[in-house]
Each structure stands twice: as structure tokens, then as C-alpha cells.
Amino acid sequence: MKKISRRTIPRTLLYLRTLESLIKEGRYTVSSGELARITGLTDVQIRKDISNFGRVGTPRIGYKTRELKNILKDYVLPENIIRMVLFGAGSLGTAILKYPGFRKQRLKISAAFDKDKRKTGKTINGVKVYPVERAPEVIRKSRVDIGIIAVPSEHGQEVADLMVGSGLKGIVNFAPVSLNLPENVSARDIDLSIEFLALYCDTRM
Amino acid sequence: MKKISRRTIPRTLLYLRTLESLIKEGRYTVSSGELARITGLTDVQIRKDISNFGRVGTPRIGYKTRELKNILKDYVLPENIIRMVLFGAGSLGTAILKYPGFRKQRLKISAAFDKDKRKTGKTINGVKVYPVERAPEVIRKSRVDIGIIAVPSEHGQEVADLMVGSGLKGIVNFAPVSLNLPENVSARDIDLSIEFLALYCDTRM
DNA sequence: TTGTAATCGTTACAAATTTCACGATTTTTA
DNA sequence: TAAAAATCGTGAAATTTGTAACGATTACAA
Ligand SMILES: NC(=O)c1ccc[n+]([C@@H]2O[C@H](COP(=O)([O-])OP(=O)(O)OC[C@H]3O[C@@H](n4cnc5c(N)ncnc54)[C@H](O)[C@@H]3O)[C@@H](O)[C@H]2O)c1
Ligand SMILES: NC(=O)c1ccc[n+]([C@@H]2O[C@H](COP(=O)([O-])OP(=O)(O)OC[C@H]3O[C@@H](n4cnc5c(N)ncnc54)[C@H](O)[C@@H]3O)[C@@H](O)[C@H]2O)c1
């Protein structure tokens, strides 16, 4: 099993998303050239990425959509459901809790936590909102993989510490603050302001 | 004025965010090493990025927080406010509309658009929600720079076409669908499912 | 059955990005 | 005043990432 380079993983997930959409349209095959047109990448890059996973395409035909989907899945999706918890049932947190699209991706939010007593006790879209103190207990009990930070940035670090202390190994952080985390915890920061500003720079060049 | 390489731009915005936070704490200077510890990048990378903008640091001292902030701002932030419009006042769209943090970054949402008559007419956090048909007119009138797509993925392309037709040059797309756009329009796709899944892959390696 | 066109997979190449190594500069202090 | 310590800036090396070129393979049509 070859080592997959860092950037190919999100691209592979994008191929998966595209394949699922093509399958839904009833397509049986697709070429690297067409995937390139759809995704905005180049055909060579796509062939190269896919070649990481074995020889799967057929000259003159391309790739069989279902077959390719299953192969890619084996490499980048787990068999079991990915369990997540959310900290901060505010406006962004609530939007995430309400989103029905995660289920299809085997992503499940097991629980939410909030500091504000007016938010706790409720159930949003089937997910219970606990007081933040109960986080370690609830997280340990339900074998959670990933934590989502959707609290104000001033509380980002304290929530991150709580997550690490509860054994989480991955954090998605929406708060515009840099987290101090141990080596063995992975994080992805999504700062929407930076996204908008960077896009604006892109448009000026 | 040197050409700034593509990846340095979001990093520079991250330095700005960090500097603003340090300034708020009352810090007058900061070294590349300390910026590295905070942001998780390396000190060399930070010095190299900053060197794009001129010789601004002082040996033995580091960088003056305010001075560096102003210099970076000149390169990656516009003088004027960046105007944005939002399509889809659903749960994610509403969270974005309600977020007060954009103002500090000179980001302003000028208007929102929705197809659903139950959502239009309202004002969310001071932003009017118009019927989607009025988009071209409203966008042209208010010199908007960027459009945000927060509609279901089935409607992503039609909304993108409407944006392009109204003259927008940048699109941030939250819908899990690949958009077909002309060359001269920049886009950034934020697919939260892919973010979560890619993070999960990261934790398994 | 054979030629042709489309497409894959891969090797070699190019470009971008990051890291390394180290000299230069400035402050501190002995 | 001179040595020491901390830090910057930068050219060169290393790494990563992406691109181009092209032979190999397959389906299909003549
Ligand atoms: N809403 C957006 O569109 C948007 C955009 C960019 C960034 N963000 C960032 O995402 C984060 C959440 O934004 P939001 O708009 O949902 O904020 P919000 O104020 O609506 O919600 C924050 C929630 O976190 C809870 N909370 C506070 N401290 C907590 C703690 N220690 N533990 C658990 N819960 C705690 C609060 O009670 C509240 O319910 C913020 O960091 C914000 O900067 C949001
Ligand atoms: N909410 C999340 O956390 C989340 C997570 C991942 C991805 N997304 C994506 O973000 C997008 C929005 O998600 P959401 O949860 O806010 O959905 P939502 O259903 O709550 O809201 C969608 C809104 O778009 C409006 N709309 C539909 N077609 C439109 C059109 N042609 N023009 C204008 N408005 C139109 C609807 O009336 C509705 O108000 C979706 O593509 C979704 O897949 C959301």
C-alpha cells in the first residue's frame, strides 16, 4: 500500500463526490478528461492520483464509475461511522447540527456541548446539547473521533484543551484563533474571514 | 512590488490575525520564533513570507507588532470595504448573516437572496433578504465584489450563473457541487464534509 | 482481421514551495 | 569597547507538487 501524498486526499474525496453524482445521473463510465472538466483539475493529475490506488481504468473507455468509487472509498473512507462532537450550539453550531448531508458521508454528530444553560438540555435535530462539564464523560462513553469548535475565539483554547483531555485526536476549528495542541492531535482551521479575504486577493490578480 | 506566491496570502492573513491579537494584549514586538510557536508554522517560513514585503524586522528584537500589521495590511487588505452578497438564507446562510466578526475585517454583506417567499422581505442582522430575481439589479447597484453560495447543491450552478451574469468576480461556494465558471471568475470551495473526512484521514496516519 | 482513435499509466521534466545554512545586524553586558 | 547572544534576511539545496510527453492498451469500425 503506497503512501498517499497529503494533497491527494482531499482531491480523492472530491472525485468520490463527483462519482456519486455521476452515478446518480446513471453514468456507467467516465474518463479522466471529463472528471477534469467537472472538477477544474487537469486530466493528468486525476490519472496520477487514481494510479495511487492501482490500475483501474480501461483505455478507450475510462473508469467505471461504481468500481472507481468503491476503490477510492477503500482508501479514504472508513468502514464504520465517524463520530463527532460539537462545542458551541450558537448560530454556526446549530447550522452544522441541522445539516442532514453528513449522514450520507458516514459522518455523525453524537453530541453537542454548550456553556450557556439556555442552550443545554435541548435536542437539535436529534442531537442532545449537554452542559460543557459533561463533555469528558460523554465523549469517552461514545468513542468519538473528531471534535468541532464553534465557540467564540476567546474560549477556543479552553475547549481544545478539554477535547484533548477527553482523548479526541482530530479537531476542526471554526474560531479565528490559533490553537496550541500536542503533536498527536491533528487540526484543520477554517477561518471564513480569511477565506473571503484570500478570495478577494485572488480576484485582484 | 514583488509577486506574492499563492500560498503566502492566506498565511499573511493569518499573521495579521495573530498580530491583531498580540496588539490587543499590549505586545509591542514579536519574533519570528514566537509567531511560529503561535501559528504552528516554522520561523523560517514566516521570515521568508515577511521578507516579500520588505526589510521590516530588527535583529535581536523581532518585528514591531503595529508596524508589521500595517505593512501586511497594505499588501493583502484593500483600503475600502469588501462588499459581498449571500444566496440562500437557510441555516448556514443565516449563521453567516448573523456573524458580527466580518465587520472588523472590512467585510460587509450588502444583501441576501432567497427563492423561498417565506424568507424574503425579512431583514437579518440588518441585511435585507430579496427574492432571487432581483439579484442582478441589486448587485449591480451596490458594486459588490464577492458572492457566497449557501443554497442546496442542486441549485448551485444556477446561482453561480446568476452571479457571473451580474458581474461578480469571486465566489465562495459552500454547496458540495463543482461549479462550471468562466476563466475570469475566482472561486473557493468549502465542502465541510470533505474537511471532516480529510481530517479523519489525517488522524489515521 | 487489421487499422485507428481514445484513453490509460508512467517516466521524465518543470515549477513551486519549503527547509537549511549561514552571514549580517543589533542589543546587551562584562 | 569588545564579546556574546538573539534574531533577521537570503541564496542555495531539498522536497513536494504539478505538467508534459509518450508508449501501451483497448474498443470499435472498416
Ligand atoms: N457564524 C458564522 O458565520 C461564523 C463565521 C466565521 C467564524 N465564526 C466563528 O465560529 C465560532 C462560532 O460562531 P457563532 O456565530 O456560532 O457564535 P455564537 O455566539 O452564535 O455561538 C457561540 C456558542 O458557544 C457557546 N459557548 C461559549 N463558550 C463556550 C464554552 N467554553 N464551551 C461550550 N460552549 C461555549 C455559547 O454559549 C454560544 O452558544 C466563533 O468563533 C466565530 O468567530 C462564525
Ligand atoms: N448547514 C451546514 O452546516 C452545511 C454543511 C455543509 C454543507 N452545507 C451546504 O451549504 C448549503 C446550504 O446549506 P443549509 O444547511 O443552509 O441549507 P438550507 O436548506 O437550510 O438553506 C438553503 C436555502 O437556500 C434557499 N434556496 C434554494 N434554492 C435557491 C435559489 N435558487 N436561489 C436562492 N436561494 C435558494 C432555500 O430557500 C433555503 O432558504 C447547501 O449546499 C449545503 O449542502 C451546509
Side-chain angles (χ1 to χ4, degrees):
Chain A
M1 184 146 140
K2 217 187 216 167
K3 189 184 171 290
I4 312 297
S5 126
R6 223 171 58 57
R7 295 185 179 291
T8 62
I9 288 176
R11 280 200 302 268
T12 302
L13 291 163
L14 176 61
Y15 305 150
L16 265 175
R17 187 184 86 183
T18 309
L19 287 166
E20 265 152 26
S21 149
L22 288 168
I23 289 167
K24 205 181 291 175
E25 289 172 19
R27 294 286 305 277
Y28 287 97
T29 65
V30 66
S31 70
S32 60
E34 185 169 14
L35 281 174
R37 248 176 294 122
I38 296 171
T39 60
L41 304 170
T42 70
D43 56 347
V44 189
Q45 176 136 71
I46 289 169
R47 289 203 298 281
K48 196 156 205 194
D49 283 341
I50 291 174
S51 77
N52 281 305
F53 309 110
R55 302 178 72 118
V56 44
T58 315
R60 186 68 196 253
I61 298 293
Y63 304 95
K64 294 187 189 156
T65 50
R66 277 170 197 284
E67 184 192 12
L68 182 55
K69 181 191 74 165
N70 289 330
I71 289 171
L72 299 187
K73 262 183 161 172
D74 279 351
Y75 280 85
V76 297
L77 293 187
E79 305 215 347
N80 46 316
I81 286 174
I82 301 173
R83 295 195 184 75
M84 311 192 285
V85 288
L86 173 86
F87 282 73
S91 47
L92 181 59
T94 302
I96 290 171
L97 288 173
K98 284 188 184 159
Y99 183 60
F102 293 134
R103 278 204 64 200
K104 276 172 263 167
Q105 314 291 333
R106 297 192 188 152
L107 293 165
K108 179 185 171 182
I109 301 182
S110 302
F113 302 99
D114 206 293
K115 211 182 196 174
D116 185 342
K117 294 299 166 211
R118 286 167 300 182
K119 314 247 171 153
T120 58
K122 283 195 277 190
T123 292
I124 300 176
N125 192 24
V127 181
K128 258 181 116 168
V129 182
Y130 294 92
V132 69
E133 302 79 31
R134 295 196 53 196
E137 164 215 341
V138 175
I139 290 172
R140 281 181 202 289
K141 203 153 51 190
S142 32
R143 289 190 295 113
V144 176
D145 305 294
I146 286 176
I148 304 166
I149 297 184
V151 301
S153 54
E154 309 84 68
H155 297 103
Q157 184 64 53
E158 85 193 47
V159 165
D161 293 341
L162 191 55
M163 286 172 162
V164 172
S166 308
L168 295 186
K169 289 287 176 279
I171 295 178
V172 172
N173 174 32
F174 288 96
V177 64
S178 297
L179 303 175
N180 189 348
L181 297 172
E183 272 296 305
N184 64 332
V185 175
S186 308
R188 293 178 92 86
D189 297 304
I190 302 178
D191 183 327
L192 295 189
S193 297
I194 287 182
E195 294 292 334
F196 293 140
L197 294 168
L199 173 67
Y200 186 82
C201 287
D202 289 349
T203 66
R204 315 249 110 201
M205 283 165 205
Chain B
M1 186 145 139
K2 215 187 216 167
K3 190 183 169 292
I4 312 297
S5 120
R6 218 167 90 353
R7 292 181 181 294
T8 63
I9 288 177
R11 279 200 302 267
T12 302
L13 291 163
L14 176 60
Y15 304 151
L16 266 175
R17 188 184 85 181
T18 309
L19 288 166
E20 265 152 26
S21 150
L22 288 168
I23 289 167
K24 205 181 290 174
E25 290 173 18
R27 293 287 304 276
Y28 287 96
T29 65
V30 67
S31 70
S32 61
E34 187 168 11
L35 282 174
R37 247 176 297 121
I38 296 170
T39 59
L41 305 169
T42 71
D43 56 347
V44 190
Q45 176 137 69
I46 288 169
R47 289 202 297 280
K48 192 144 220 190
D49 282 342
I50 291 174
S51 77
N52 280 304
F53 310 110
R55 302 176 73 117
V56 43
T58 314
R60 185 68 195 249
I61 299 292
Y63 304 95
K64 293 186 191 159
T65 49
R66 278 170 197 284
E67 184 193 13
L68 182 55
K69 180 192 74 168
N70 290 329
I71 290 173
L72 298 186
K73 261 183 162 172
D74 279 352
Y75 280 84
V76 296
L77 293 187
E79 306 215 347
N80 45 316
I81 285 173
I82 301 173
R83 294 195 185 75
M84 312 192 286
V85 289
L86 173 86
F87 283 71
S91 46
L92 182 58
T94 302
I96 290 171
L97 288 172
K98 283 188 183 161
Y99 183 59
F102 293 134
R103 280 203 63 200
K104 278 171 264 170
Q105 314 290 334
R106 297 194 188 150
L107 293 164
K108 179 183 170 182
I109 301 181
S110 302
F113 303 100
D114 205 293
K115 212 180 195 176
D116 185 340
K117 295 300 167 212
R118 286 166 300 181
K119 313 247 172 156
T120 58
K122 284 194 275 189
T123 292
I124 301 176
N125 192 25
V127 181
K128 257 182 118 168
V129 182
Y130 294 92
V132 69
E133 303 80 30
R134 295 197 53 197
E137 165 214 340
V138 175
I139 289 173
R140 281 181 201 289
K141 202 154 51 189
S142 30
R143 290 187 297 111
V144 175
D145 304 295
I146 286 176
I148 304 166
I149 297 184
V151 302
S153 54
E154 308 85 67
H155 297 103
Q157 185 64 53
E158 85 194 49
V159 165
D161 292 341
L162 191 55
M163 287 173 163
V164 172
S166 307
L168 295 186
K169 288 287 176 281
I171 295 178
V172 173
N173 173 33
F174 288 95
V177 64
S178 297
L179 303 175
N180 189 348
L181 298 171
E183 272 295 306
N184 64 332
V185 174
S186 308
R188 293 179 92 85
D189 297 304
I190 303 178
D191 183 326
L192 295 190
S193 297
I194 288 181
E195 294 291 334
F196 292 140
L197 294 168
L199 172 68
Y200 185 82
C201 287
D202 289 348
T203 66
R204 313 249 111 201
M205 282 164 204

